[in-house]
Amino acid sequence: MAFLAKGRIFAAAVVAVLALATGAQAASCGKNSAGFEAWKQEFAAEARSNGVGSKGLAALAGATYATKTISVDRAIHKAFSGSVEEFMKRRGGAAIISKGRSLKKSNAALFGKIEATYGVSPGVLLAIWGMETGFGASLGKQNTVSAILTLAYDCRRPGFFYPHAIAALKLVDRGALSASSVGAAHGEIGHTQFLPGNVLQYGVGNGNLRDKATALASTANFLKAHGWQAGASASANMGAIAGWNSASVYQQAIARIATAIDGD
């Protein structure tokens, strides 16, 4: 999910439900790479106390400061600027609708099973899938562990990313991630772009979100947990969509795309 998906609505819940941060977060945040290695040593002790094992700690030790992630993060709000019409044009809304309708038909059994299990209609899942990764065409090339640790270290929002950094290391311990796994710039994973803490909480099956069926079912599980009402339209489920992404233009675009796909 896009970074804003894990904003104000969800940050407190991640900490409370996952209980990933049992102590105070690492004290020495930074604004550049200068203090990153020293911070990693502090964070390693906290990670260990939060249950991170040897594989996760090794991944932490090998992580590097993600300059590209910081660059993308500083420009994040520009990506969600303007009207919903402008946003949809930039993100290829018409193409998402067209391909989404085709994929809905060719994957009817999968979407039918997901809807029967979670009550979430195909349109919103296809809208999110298309918006986030172009239906799996672009899963990202940034090292996931380095990205999420860099954001936990960075002084802009360390409190938000701290539990996700712990989660990423736990996912390495479990084998769902490796030290070399790649994804989006903010550490998002898989076809629909989950942050690591959300993988732990809402991921289904083996948690391999690079598998489309697992990613789509996990997304449906997330939306259900955030209040999705089965049988209601996407526009009537804006609260659940807002849980996925806090940007208004994104929410409106997803609702419009979902409605167009489900109306086919």
Side-chain angles (χ1 to χ4, degrees):
M1 65 182 71
F3 162 65
L4 290 183
K6 317 96 185 175
R8 297 179 300 274
I9 296 172
F10 195 55
V14 172
V15 177
V17 176
L18 297 180
L20 295 177
T22 57
Q25 73 178 62
S28 53
C29 71
K31 296 182 179 180
N32 54 49
S33 62
F36 187 60
E37 291 301 318
W39 177 89
K40 280 168 52 180
Q41 294 181 26
E42 296 178 30
F43 189 77
E46 297 175 19
R48 190 179 296 107
S49 71
N50 278 280
V52 174
S54 59
K55 291 181 179 179
L57 292 171
L60 166 61
T64 58
Y65 184 81
T67 303
K68 177 65 174 178
T69 287
I70 294 300
S71 177
V72 171
D73 182 64
R74 296 301 184 260
I76 190 66
H77 290 290
K78 293 181 182 178
F80 297 94
S81 62
S83 69
V84 63
E85 290 79 13
E86 292 168 338
F87 178 77
M88 288 183 67
K89 185 175 181 179
R90 290 198 306 270
R91 301 294 287 267
I96 293 172
I97 291 169
S98 178
K99 188 166 184 178
R101 286 171 171 168
S102 176
L103 287 170
K104 179 182 174 181
K105 293 176 181 177
S106 62
N107 293 273
L110 171 61
F111 286 110
K113 181 179 180 181
I114 290 174
E115 186 166 15
T117 303
Y118 301 101
V120 178
S121 55
V124 70
L125 300 176
L126 286 156
I128 290 171
W129 187 18
M131 184 72 72
E132 296 293 346
T133 66
F135 303 105
S138 180
L139 300 183
K141 298 180 180 180
Q142 174 64 55
N143 181 277
T144 298
V145 173
S146 291
I148 204 71
L149 287 170
T150 297
L151 290 166
Y153 158 74
D154 184 61
C155 287
R156 189 165 176 233
R157 288 176 312 284
F160 174 77
F161 284 104
Y162 180 92
H164 290 295
I166 296 289
L169 301 182
K170 288 188 173 183
L171 289 171
V172 172
D173 283 331
R174 296 182 182 189
L177 284 178
S178 74
S180 61
S181 291
V182 296
H186 283 86
E188 305 99 329
I189 301 164
H191 280 263
T192 56
Q193 303 288 268
F194 270 67
L195 277 177
N198 296 335
V199 177
L200 284 182
Q201 190 170 2
Y202 301 107
V204 302
N206 62 7
N208 176 17
L209 299 189
R210 296 183 76 88
D211 170 68
K212 73 175 184 181
T214 301
L216 291 168
S218 299
T219 305
N221 188 38
F222 180 102
L223 292 170
K224 180 181 179 181
H226 285 74
W228 185 275
Q229 297 298 308
S233 66
S235 60
N237 274 297
M238 293 299 285
I241 297 172
W244 183 264
N245 191 300
S246 62
S248 177
V249 291
Y250 183 103
Q251 297 163 19
Q252 295 174 64
I254 291 297
R256 290 188 188 187
I257 293 169
T259 299
I261 293 172
D262 281 335
D264 179 38

